[in-house]
Amino acid sequence: MRIYTNQLAQHLSKLVPVYVVLGDEPLQKAQTLDTLRATCLKQGFDERICLSQEQSFNWQQLETAGQNLSLFSQKQLIELELSNLKIGQEGSKTLVSFLAQQSPDSILIIHGPKAPAETQKAKWFKQLEQAGLYIVVNQPEGRHFQQTIERQAKVRGLNFESEALTKFCLMFEGNLLAADQELEKLSLQIGHYVIDSKVLKQRVTNQAQYNLFELQDCFLAGHTEKALTILARLREQEMEPQLLFWAFSRELNLLLSLNESKLRGQPTHKIYQQARVWQSRQQLFEQALQRLDLATLLQCQSLLASVEQQIKHEFNTPWHLFSELLIKLTVNHKD
C-alpha cells in the first residue's frame, strides 16, 4: 500500500511486516523513520539490526539477519539503507526470498532515495509494497509546504501573523530542512510572542532553493510575484544564463505552437505528445493560453531574441529582460 508522510499516523495502530521509506526530502524522511522506530520499540521490537548498502555489503547479511533472532529478544527490527535502488538480480532475489520466509516477529524497514517509475514496476518493489507500506517522501510545495510549516511552527509554540507566515514560506520554499532549523531558532529567541513581518525581516535570512522547472511551472500558472521571487533567487545562486534562456525558449515555442493549433481549430494532443509534456503539466499550458494572446506571445519571442543577443555577443546576463519576460508571461492579456 502506498501512502504519504502526512498519512503515517493513521496507519500505526497495527504494524505491518515491511515499511519502505523513499524520497529526497531529508527532514520528513528522518521524522518518519524516528516515528517508525519509536512505534516498533513500544510494541516490543527491541532488537535493532542496521544494514547499509555499501561496497562491503553482501545481500546474504539480510537473509542471515532475518533468520537469527537473539536469545535476549523475541522481536526484531531490521533496517536496510539503500544508497541507490539498482539492486540487481541478487538483491531482487534476496528481498523476494526474505518476504516469503519473514518471521512474524520481525519488521523490515527499507529507506533510500526517490524511486523512479521503472523501479516501482519491478517485481521486488511491487512485492514489498503489497507486503506492507510504501511511504513516499516528497518535497512539499505550494500550500502543502505552508501547511507543513504551520504544523512545525505549532509544535514549537510559534505564533505567526498570516502575512508573516506567507513570507516565511516564500523565503524557505524548496528547503524544508532549513525552514525547520529556522523555526527552532525562532522558538528559542522569541518563544510565544507573535511573529510579524518586521520581526521576520530582522531575524530570518532567505534560504529558498529553486530550480528552473519550478520557474517554468510558476510563469505558466501566472504567479507573477512568486516567479519574480524565484528569478531573484536563481540570480543569487548564479544560475547559468543559457539555462534560463533555454527554460523560457522551450515553453514559449510550445505556447506558440499550441496557440496556432487552437486558432486553426486543430486538436493539441499531438503537440503535447511530440514535446513529451506529461498530462499533469498540460493543464499549466492551457492556463497560460487562456490569458496570453498571439500578439503577447510574439512580443515575448522578440524579447527573448534580445536576451539571446546579450548573452551570446555581449557576455551579459540581462536580468531586467528576464524580469520583463516573466511579467508579460504571467499577466492576463485577454481581459
Side-chain angles (χ1 to χ4, degrees):
M1 181 179 178
R2 179 177 313 198
I3 65 169
Y4 294 90
T5 50
N6 61 350
Q7 299 171 310
L8 178 60
Q10 305 164 27
H11 297 270
L12 291 177
S13 57
K14 184 180 179 181
L15 292 175
V16 294
V18 181
Y19 293 91
V20 182
V21 183
L22 302 177
D24 295 325
E25 201 295 296
L27 178 66
Q28 290 183 111
K29 186 188 287 186
Q31 290 175 337
T32 298
L33 290 171
D34 285 345
T35 299
L36 289 174
R37 289 165 187 149
T39 305
C40 289
L41 183 60
K42 197 177 289 186
Q43 297 197 28
F45 291 83
D46 52 3
E47 181 184 2
R48 182 179 165 207
I49 297 174
C50 297
L51 303 173
S52 181
Q53 184 194 31
E54 298 172 342
Q55 283 188 342
S56 59
F57 176 72
N58 187 322
W59 283 98
Q60 186 66 37
Q61 293 174 253
L62 177 61
E63 282 199 85
T64 303
Q67 293 166 0
N68 295 336
L69 276 172
S70 167
L71 294 172
F72 305 101
S73 175
Q74 294 183 336
K75 293 184 177 181
Q76 187 181 67
L77 174 63
I78 303 171
E79 285 190 33
L80 173 60
E81 180 181 9
L82 297 177
S83 55
N84 68 74
L85 301 179
K86 295 178 180 179
I87 63 173
Q89 284 191 344
E90 186 184 4
S92 176
K93 284 181 181 178
T94 303
L95 284 173
V96 171
S97 172
F98 180 94
L99 292 176
Q101 304 173 52
Q102 185 175 5
S103 165
D105 293 323
S106 72
I107 285 179
L108 174 64
I109 296 178
I110 296 176
H111 56 98
K114 182 178 179 180
E118 61 185 67
T119 299
Q120 295 178 43
K121 294 175 185 175
K123 179 183 176 182
W124 64 269
F125 193 95
K126 288 181 178 179
Q127 291 202 13
L128 286 173
E129 193 173 350
Q130 288 169 5
L133 284 180
Y134 164 35
I135 305 167
V136 183
V137 187
N138 283 337
Q139 177 72 255
E141 297 176 352
R143 65 183 179 87
H144 296 296
F145 185 84
Q146 182 155 333
Q147 288 167 357
T148 303
I149 294 299
E150 283 184 275
R151 285 196 299 271
Q152 300 289 84
K154 191 174 181 181
V155 167
R156 290 178 168 81
L158 291 171
N159 184 14
F160 278 88
E161 282 189 353
S162 178
E163 184 182 354
L165 178 63
T166 301
K167 286 182 178 179
F168 183 90
C169 291
L170 282 172
M171 293 167 77
F172 285 90
E173 191 163 9
N175 198 346
L176 184 59
L177 182 59
D180 188 71
Q181 291 169 346
E182 197 67 39
L183 289 174
E184 179 68 23
K185 189 170 75 175
L186 285 171
S187 70
L188 295 172
Q189 294 175 344
I190 296 174
H192 296 282
Y193 288 99
V194 174
I195 300 171
D196 57 18
S197 296
K198 185 179 178 181
V199 171
L200 203 63
K201 188 175 181 180
Q202 290 172 342
R203 295 184 179 268
V204 179
T205 305
N206 194 337
Q207 294 287 333
Q209 291 182 352
Y210 295 107
N211 58 46
L212 282 177
F213 300 109
E214 289 170 293
L215 179 64
Q216 288 169 304
D217 286 355
C218 206
F219 73 64
L220 287 172
H223 299 151
T224 308
E225 185 178 346
K226 185 175 178 182
L228 290 171
T229 299
I230 293 175
L231 182 66
R233 289 295 291 154
L234 291 177
R235 182 177 185 175
E236 290 174 15
Q237 292 165 209
E238 298 183 348
M239 172 66 68
E240 284 289 333
Q242 196 63 43
L243 291 176
L244 275 169
F245 172 79
W246 168 84
F248 280 100
S249 180
R250 181 187 182 280
E251 308 300 61
L252 184 56
N253 287 335
L254 188 51
L255 285 169
L256 282 163
S257 296
L258 290 166
N259 182 274
E260 183 181 358
S261 182
K262 285 179 179 289
L263 288 174
R264 291 180 177 179
Q266 298 172 343
T268 56
H269 67 274
K270 285 187 177 179
I271 297 175
Y272 283 125
Q273 194 174 20
Q274 288 170 357
R276 297 183 180 180
V277 178
W278 296 108
Q279 194 165 3
S280 58
R281 292 195 76 237
Q282 290 176 19
Q283 188 178 355
L284 290 172
F285 282 94
E286 294 299 320
Q287 286 178 30
L289 290 169
Q290 286 174 15
R291 66 174 187 276
L292 298 171
D293 53 24
L294 179 59
T296 303
L297 290 172
L298 292 173
Q299 287 172 16
C300 290
Q301 191 178 48
S302 176
L303 200 54
L304 200 57
S306 300
V307 169
E308 185 178 26
Q309 175 76 14
Q310 289 203 28
I311 292 173
K312 283 186 175 180
H313 302 291
E314 299 178 28
F315 305 103
N316 178 35
T317 305
W319 294 103
H320 64 291
L321 293 181
F322 281 128
S323 297
E324 191 177 337
L325 257 175
L326 279 180
I327 292 168
K328 281 187 176 294
L329 287 166
T330 52
V331 171
N332 192 337
H333 295 271
K334 289 188 176 181
D335 282 347

